[in-house]
Amino acid sequence: MITIKQFKIIAVIALLIPFGCSDEILDQTNPNEIATQGFWRNAEDAKLAVNGMYHPITGTFFWGRIVHVGALLRTDAINPIPSGGNTSLSTFQGSPGVARWAQEPWEEAYKSIFRANSILENVNEENVPNTSDRNEILGQAHFFRAFVYFYMVNIYGNVPLVDKTPDPKNDDELFPTQASQQAVWDLIIEDLQLAESMLPDSWSSEDLGRPTSWSATALKGKSHLYRSGLLNTDEYALAEAAFKEVVNNGPYNLLPSEQYQENFTQTNENNSESVFELQYHPIGNGNFVWGQDIPRAGTQGNFVIEYAPPSQTPDNGHVINPWVKNVFETNNDEIRRNATLAYDYPNSVVNVDIPFSEGLATDIETVNSLLDQPQNTGLEPIFTRKYSGLELPVGATGFLGDDYGANWRIIRYSDVLLMLAEAINEQNRPTEAEPFLNEVRTRAQITAVTGLNQENMRQAIIDERVMELTGEGHRFFDLVRWNLAETYLGANSAHEGPHPKSIAGGAFQSGKHELVFIPQSELQSNPNLVQNQGY
C-alpha cells in the first residue's frame, strides 16, 4: 500500500534571481529543474507539489531531527548531557554565530512556506477543474503553511510574514521585514479556517496521514489557546468552540490503556487517537543523505538519536529529571509511566525484553558518575521511552536513525481533551472542565478529580499534561505560554532536586530565552531583519 509516507518528493520551484552578465556561456538551462511555466499542467502536477511542500519539514533539518535539538529539548523534563554545539540551544547557552541548529529549521520552514505559496497561486479551476481535487490540494497548502508558521512564531517569534512568492525584482519582497506576532497568528488562523472548509473529513488508505478538516480545527483551537497566553488576549471561548467541534463531532477516541504506548512506535500509526501526525518511513543504511531535499531522503526518523539513551546514540543523550518521575508516582500512574520513562520500576525492560538494569547498565553508570558533581545531587538514571527506539532490539534504528520510521504524533485526541479542559477552566468553569480531564485520567486507570476550584484545576491540568505528553514536544511551549518558564527553568528553579539543566549548566532568562535567536546568516543576508531581544 502506498501512503503519504512513501510519496515521491520533488523540489518544485527554485527562486531564480537574475544577475547582470554578458557571457552567454553562463546563461544555461538547468536540465534537472522543472520550469515553472511547464509544471502546473494538471492535478497530478499539483499533487506532486503538495508532496514536495511537506518534505522540508519532515526532513532532517526540521522535524526529522534538528528542531528537537534546537527547540523542543529546552523542556524542564530533559537534562542533556553535553555534546558540544549540539546541546547549546537546549541548555540556553547558545549565541548567534556560534551555536548550531538555529539556521537549518528557519531555512527549511521558508522552503515549505514558499512551496505552499506557489500552490496557492498556481492551482486554479483551469488546471484542476475538479472541485474536490482542487479543494484538497489548496486545503493542504493552507493547513501546512499555518502549521509551519505556528512553529516559527513559537520558536523564533519575530519572523517575516511571507504569504506570496516574492518578485525577484522587488527588494521589499526579497528582503522582508519581520511582522508582528499578532499578524502571524492572524494568518495562521485565517489559513486554518480556509483549510477547515476545503479539506475532507477523512482520506482513503492511499492518502492516510494527510491533514483533515479535523486537523485544521484542532490546530485552530490550539492557536487560539496559545495566542491567549502569549499575547495576553482572551480567546479561550474561541479555543473551546474549536476543541468541542472535534470532541463532539470528530471521529476520534482514546486507544485502550493497554495500547497507550502504540501512540509512539511504528505500530498502529494514524490510529483513532491521531488528529495529525507527520509521516516517517525508514530508508535503510546506505540510503541516508544528510539534510538533502531529494526523493527518498528525509523520510526517516533521525530524531530517535535525540531520545535514545546515551549508550544507543551517536550523541551523548540525556537524562529525565526526577521531578517527572515523582509526578507519575504521586498519581499512581503506571500505564503512562511505563510508556514514557525507563528506570528501575518493577518489570522494567528495554530493547524488547532485556531487564532495565542489564540493558542500560552503561547508562546507569554514566548517570552515577555525574553525581560526583554537586549540582547533580539527586539525579537518577531515568531515560526516555517515547521515540527512543527502546521498544526495538539494540541497533535496530540504525546509526543515525535511518532505519527508524515511527510517525511523530503532532496532535493526539488526548491533547485536544486537555486543551479543551484548559480553555474551559480559564473561563472560570472548572466543574465543566472535569469530564474532559477525567476522560484522559480514566484511560490511564488513575483516580478522577472532582470539586476543584479554578486554581487547583489549572495545576491538575499542568500535571496531567506532564503525565500524558512528556517527550512529545509540547512542554517548553506550554511553560512559555503559561509564563512559567522562568519559574521552572530559571537559575532558581522551583523543582526539587537538581536544576533541569544541571549536567551542562545554563538557565532560562526571561525576556530572552522564550525565543531562539534569529540565525546570523539571515541577519547578514537580509539587512531588514532585527535580532531577538537579549541576544
Side-chain angles (χ1 to χ4, degrees):
M1 179 186 300
I2 298 176
T3 66
I4 187 176
K5 65 162 55 175
Q6 295 168 305
F7 54 63
K8 296 180 180 179
I9 306 297
I10 64 166
V12 182
I13 302 170
L15 177 61
L16 300 179
I17 305 174
F19 294 88
C21 181
S22 59
D23 295 335
E24 293 184 2
I25 194 171
L26 297 180
D27 186 16
Q28 298 291 318
T29 299
N30 181 356
N32 300 309
E33 179 184 297
I34 300 175
T36 303
Q37 62 271 23
F39 179 73
W40 302 99
R41 300 167 301 177
N42 49 40
E44 292 308 309
D45 279 357
K47 290 176 181 179
L48 287 173
V50 169
N51 291 345
M53 173 189 68
Y54 290 115
H55 192 252
I57 299 305
T58 58
T60 305
F61 282 166
F62 201 89
W63 207 279
R65 183 193 174 201
I66 300 307
V67 81
H68 303 267
V69 185
L72 306 187
L73 296 184
R74 292 176 292 171
T75 167
D76 56 341
I78 287 176
N79 205 331
I81 300 173
S83 183
N86 283 351
T87 51
S88 59
L89 289 181
S90 60
T91 57
F92 308 108
Q93 296 172 309
S95 58
V98 178
R100 301 180 72 184
W101 308 135
Q103 176 181 340
E104 289 81 0
W106 178 289
E107 293 175 345
E108 298 307 293
Y110 279 106
K111 281 184 190 177
S112 184
I113 290 167
F114 178 86
R115 294 174 188 182
N117 289 338
S118 298
I119 293 165
L120 295 173
E121 292 170 8
N122 287 284
V123 173
N124 51 54
E125 292 183 11
E126 183 177 343
N127 54 20
V128 186
N130 182 282
T131 301
S132 177
D133 285 348
R134 188 170 64 254
N135 282 344
E136 289 177 355
I137 291 163
L138 295 174
Q140 288 180 81
H142 280 297
F143 175 87
F144 212 61
R145 185 170 69 176
F147 174 82
V148 176
Y149 270 123
F150 178 92
Y151 281 96
M152 289 297 282
V153 77
N154 277 287
I155 294 171
Y156 300 100
N158 305 299
V159 298
L161 188 59
V162 181
D163 60 359
K164 64 178 183 177
T165 56
D167 178 355
K169 298 179 182 179
N170 186 325
D171 282 354
D172 290 338
E173 294 183 12
L174 285 177
F175 305 102
T177 59
Q178 287 141 304
S180 69
Q181 293 184 36
Q182 177 74 40
V184 179
W185 283 112
D186 285 345
L187 180 65
I188 290 169
I189 292 169
E190 178 185 338
D191 267 342
L192 292 171
Q193 289 171 336
L194 289 167
E196 280 181 301
S197 67
M198 293 179 168
L199 289 171
D201 290 346
S202 63
W203 292 88
S204 67
S205 59
E206 292 181 345
D207 288 304
L208 194 63
R210 295 183 187 273
T212 65
S213 60
W214 302 113
S215 308
T217 303
L219 186 55
K220 184 181 72 173
K222 184 174 182 176
S223 298
H224 284 303
L225 186 69
Y226 270 51
R227 184 158 73 168
S228 296
L230 293 170
L231 301 187
N232 196 28
T233 63
D234 184 354
E235 299 182 15
Y236 294 111
L238 294 172
E240 176 189 357
F243 294 137
K244 277 190 172 177
E245 180 67 21
V246 177
V247 171
N248 293 337
N249 300 312
Y252 305 104
N253 56 71
L254 300 178
L255 292 181
S257 57
E258 63 270 18
Q259 292 180 270
Y260 172 75
Q261 73 280 0
E262 292 179 6
N263 284 309
F264 322 107
T265 68
Q266 295 173 95
T267 300
N268 202 8
E269 296 175 326
N270 301 302
N271 61 52
S272 62
E273 190 168 336
S274 175
V275 181
F276 180 62
E277 58 192 68
L278 292 177
Q279 309 292 302
Y280 285 90
H281 187 73
I283 61 173
N285 284 319
N287 295 320
F288 175 59
V289 183
W290 182 254
Q292 292 301 305
D293 189 16
I294 57 177
R296 300 296 294 166
T299 61
Q300 72 289 338
N302 297 122
F303 49 74
V304 69
I305 67 177
E306 302 307 327
Y307 296 92
S311 66
Q312 297 182 27
T313 172
D315 281 347
N316 291 333
H318 64 258
V319 180
I320 293 290
N321 286 306
W323 72 265
V324 179
K325 180 195 78 170
N326 295 341
V327 174
F328 283 100
E329 295 193 345
T330 298
N331 285 272
N332 297 312
D333 186 349
E334 295 183 3
I335 298 291
R336 293 180 294 187
R337 177 201 67 184
N338 295 357
T340 304
L341 307 178
Y343 64 96
D344 62 348
Y345 49 78
N347 302 314
S348 177
V349 298
V350 297
N351 300 117
V352 184
D353 58 1
I354 306 173
F356 169 81
S357 58
E358 177 184 337
L360 297 187
T362 301
D363 306 275
I364 295 170
E365 292 177 6
T366 296
V367 175
N368 289 338
S369 70
L370 295 170
L371 297 178
D372 293 338
Q373 303 169 33
Q375 73 270 22
N376 292 326
T377 299
L379 202 66
E380 300 177 35
I382 308 170
F383 307 101
T384 300
R385 282 198 188 275
K386 292 177 182 177
Y387 302 110
S388 69
L390 281 178
E391 75 279 7
L392 303 173
V394 176
T397 63
F399 176 63
L400 289 171
D402 43 346
D403 283 330
Y404 187 72
N407 291 352
W408 192 283
R409 282 68 163 182
I410 298 292
I411 302 177
R412 292 195 290 118
Y413 183 56
S414 59
D415 189 10
V416 171
L417 290 169
L418 294 178
M419 289 190 290
L420 173 55
E422 180 181 347
I424 294 171
N425 187 60
E426 291 307 313
Q427 297 173 75
N428 200 18
R429 289 152 45 210
T431 301
E432 293 180 46
E434 285 180 6
F436 305 107
L437 173 62
N438 285 332
E439 185 173 348
V440 179
R441 292 178 67 86
T442 298
R443 192 263 295 271
Q445 300 182 6
I446 59 177
T447 306
V449 301
T450 185
L452 301 182
N453 61 25
Q454 184 186 34
E455 182 179 353
N456 290 338
M457 174 59 76
R458 185 179 291 129
Q459 187 59 52
I461 292 169
I462 289 173
D463 290 344
E464 198 66 29
R465 290 185 68 81
V466 171
M467 292 182 286
E468 181 67 26
L469 300 168
T470 287
E472 298 181 49
H474 305 291
R475 174 69 176 182
F476 180 79
F477 299 135
D478 280 347
L479 292 178
V480 171
R481 67 185 180 87
W482 292 331
N483 197 28
L484 291 175
E486 175 74 27
T487 301
Y488 292 113
L489 283 162
N492 299 309
S493 173
H495 285 307
E496 294 183 2
H499 186 278
K501 306 299 179 183
S502 66
I503 303 173
F508 179 95
Q509 298 175 34
S510 290
K512 177 180 181 180
H513 289 130
E514 291 88 352
L515 304 173
V516 171
F517 56 80
I518 307 299
Q520 192 69 23
S521 59
E522 297 299 323
L523 295 172
Q524 292 170 344
S525 62
N526 182 356
N528 293 324
L529 297 183
V530 178
Q531 185 56 273
N532 282 336
Q533 180 180 336
Y535 291 102

